[in-house]
Amino acid sequence: ALAEFVGVSKSMLAAAAERSGPLPAVADQRSRYCQWLADQPEATKDAWLAELLSDSESSVQAKIRAKSEKVAGTPSWPTVEAGRTVAQLRATAEEIHCKKKKAAEAKATRQRTERLKKMAADPTPYLGKTEKLVAERTTDAYEEASELLADLREALADSKQSDLAEKQARKLKTANPTLRHLTAALRRQGFVKK
C-alpha cells in the first residue's frame, strides 16, 4: 500500500528485490518469551501477574514485552550493499514490466484463439447471446453484441458459414430499426455501411 501511495510500481519493487537479502528468520515468539520469562525472578513475575489480574487496563503487557525485547533484541532486517543507481533500477523494472506484458499478451492470445475455436465449432449460442444483449436495450450491450458478431465473423471466416455473422447483424438491425446506438455499434464493426 505504501509503494502504491508513493507511486512505486510492482516492476520497480521486483527490480529492487532481485539483489535484496533474504527475509530475516522469524523466531517463534512464544518460545522466545517462555525462555526469557523462565530467567525472571519469581517475585517479579508474581508482581506482573497481580497487576494484570487487578487492573483490566494495565500496561503490564507492554512493560513485559519492552523488557523482553530490550534484553533479547528485535531481529533486524539484513541490508545488502546493492551499488545500483536509480537508472539501473528503472531499466531492470522496464525489462520486468515488458516480460510481464508479453506473457499477459500471449495468454490473452491463447484465450482468444480458444474462444474463436469454440465459436467456430458451435456458433448457435453466440447468435442467441447477441439477441439477448440487444434485448437489454443498453449502449454497452449493443457494443458487446457487435463485438461478439465481429469475433464470430473472424471465427467463421474460412468456413461454409462465413456469412453467418453478417446475416445476424442484418437480422438484428432489421428487427430493431429505431435503435440508433445498435446501428452505430454495428457500423463500427463494419456490419453496416456508412
Side-chain angles (χ1 to χ4, degrees), residues 16-52:
E18 281 184 349
R19 293 192 198 168
S20 295
L23 293 172
V26 179
D28 179 21
Q29 293 286 69
R30 184 175 175 83
S31 64
R32 197 177 107 210
Y33 286 138
C34 288
Q35 188 176 15
W36 178 78
L37 278 170
D39 296 338
Q40 300 307 306
E42 290 296 319
T44 302
K45 290 190 277 188
D46 288 345
W48 286 335
L49 188 56
E51 184 180 344
L52 188 63

Side-chain angles (χ1 to χ4, degrees), residues 40-193:
Q40 300 307 306
E42 290 296 319
T44 302
K45 290 190 277 188
D46 288 345
W48 286 335
L49 188 56
E51 184 180 344
L52 188 63
L53 292 172
S54 65
D55 185 5
S56 63
E57 295 182 24
S58 172
S59 61
V60 72
Q61 181 184 12
K63 287 181 203 173
I64 296 170
R65 187 169 278 149
K67 286 185 183 227
S68 166
E69 289 174 0
K70 186 176 180 183
V71 172
T74 54
S76 62
W77 187 281
T79 58
V80 175
E81 183 73 33
R84 293 180 290 172
T85 65
V86 172
Q88 290 169 323
L89 276 174
R90 285 187 177 140
T92 303
E94 183 62 28
E95 288 173 17
I96 290 169
H97 176 73
C98 287
K99 285 179 187 176
K100 285 182 179 179
K101 186 177 178 181
K102 283 181 184 176
E105 287 171 354
K107 182 180 178 183
T109 300
R110 283 191 308 273
Q111 289 173 338
R112 177 170 171 71
T113 302
E114 197 62 37
R115 181 172 182 242
L116 292 177
K117 282 181 187 177
K118 285 182 181 178
M119 292 176 110
D122 184 13
T124 308
Y126 302 98
L127 296 172
K129 185 170 182 182
T130 62
E131 292 175 6
K132 287 179 183 175
L133 286 166
V134 171
E136 288 180 20
R137 300 287 196 257
T138 66
T139 307
D140 289 340
Y142 301 149
E143 287 295 333
E144 189 177 343
S146 66
E147 289 167 8
L148 190 58
L149 286 172
D151 288 346
L152 189 59
R153 177 177 52 203
E154 184 179 341
L156 299 172
D158 297 325
S159 73
K160 293 177 183 176
Q161 297 179 306
S162 60
D163 63 342
L164 190 61
E166 297 283 345
K167 287 179 181 176
Q168 181 69 3
R170 278 194 302 273
K171 177 183 170 186
L172 293 172
K173 185 180 179 322
T174 303
N176 303 284
T178 60
L179 299 180
R180 293 178 303 128
H181 292 290
L182 172 62
T183 302
L186 292 171
R187 183 176 292 121
R188 280 190 286 278
Q189 295 299 334
F191 290 109
V192 176
K193 302 262 190 257

